[in-house]
Amino acid sequence: MRLTRQTNYAVRILMYCAANDAPLSRIGDIAKAYSVSELFLFKILQPLTKSGLVESVRGRNGGIRLGRTADKISLLDVVKVTEDNFAMAECFENDASECPLVDSCGLNTALRKALGAFFEVLAGYSIEDLVKSRPSINFLLGLEEQSAAPAA
């Protein structure tokens, strides 16, 4: 199974927000940290905001923040919001193949079991787990410089 670029950056956005000590994170800062366009991140934010994983605060001093604490957002939550399809083979799709074994195939059973295990592992990791396990994450994301700046 290969996750999309959207899922990858959705996790990164959430990690940035979790690592950031400031009350709000700015899209421009996140885009700079990951060297991607703001427009790309805005597209990813739509499903994250709609699902409640991220809250958006509008206005001049606006930004984004986690919709719930980082320990309450699992990787599975993110993947379910950002991925459109979990079909590992033709058999998983709505218009299942014309294979006569589609309802009693051992491969289909094995792949469903593998997908279930994949989901179980993702459910076992939170955004907090990803951030707290990397003590240098604030430095790598450029957040230490921001944190050291005096408040205006």
Side-chain angles (χ1 to χ4, degrees):
M1 161 141 297
R2 181 178 175 97
L3 299 176
T4 61
R5 189 168 180 236
Q6 178 175 336
T7 298
N8 182 4
Y9 279 95
V11 171
R12 291 181 191 208
I13 289 169
L14 295 170
M15 288 175 65
Y16 186 99
C17 290
N20 191 0
D21 291 332
L24 296 173
S25 298
R26 299 184 190 278
I27 298 303
D29 295 336
I30 299 171
K32 182 179 175 185
Y34 294 125
S35 301
V36 296
S37 78
E38 289 182 37
L39 182 60
F40 176 65
L41 294 183
F42 276 117
K43 288 180 182 177
I44 294 169
L45 275 174
Q46 291 174 352
L48 293 177
T49 304
K50 186 177 180 181
S51 68
L53 295 178
V54 169
E55 293 177 351
S56 177
V57 177
R58 295 181 185 261
R60 180 181 171 136
N61 295 317
I64 62 168
R65 63 180 167 233
L66 297 179
R68 52 187 190 243
T69 59
D71 65 320
K72 300 292 185 211
I73 302 173
S74 74
L75 287 179
L76 181 59
D77 295 332
V78 183
V79 168
K80 284 187 171 183
V81 165
T82 57
E83 291 292 325
D84 292 331
N85 187 348
F86 296 105
M88 295 177 70
E90 225 176 297
C91 318
F92 280 74
E93 296 178 6
N94 292 338
D95 59 345
S97 74
E98 296 178 14
C99 175
L101 302 177
V102 74
D103 291 326
S104 62
C105 178
L107 174 61
N108 194 320
T109 301
L111 292 177
R112 286 190 192 284
K113 195 172 188 179
L115 185 61
F118 177 67
F119 287 163
E120 186 177 329
V121 169
L122 291 178
Y125 286 90
S126 70
I127 296 299
E128 181 179 64
D129 295 331
L130 302 180
V131 172
K132 298 294 182 197
S133 68
R134 305 286 180 229
S136 62
I137 193 168
N138 287 41
F139 174 76
L140 295 171
L141 292 174
L143 289 169
E144 284 187 357
E145 298 168 355
Q146 292 174 7
S147 297

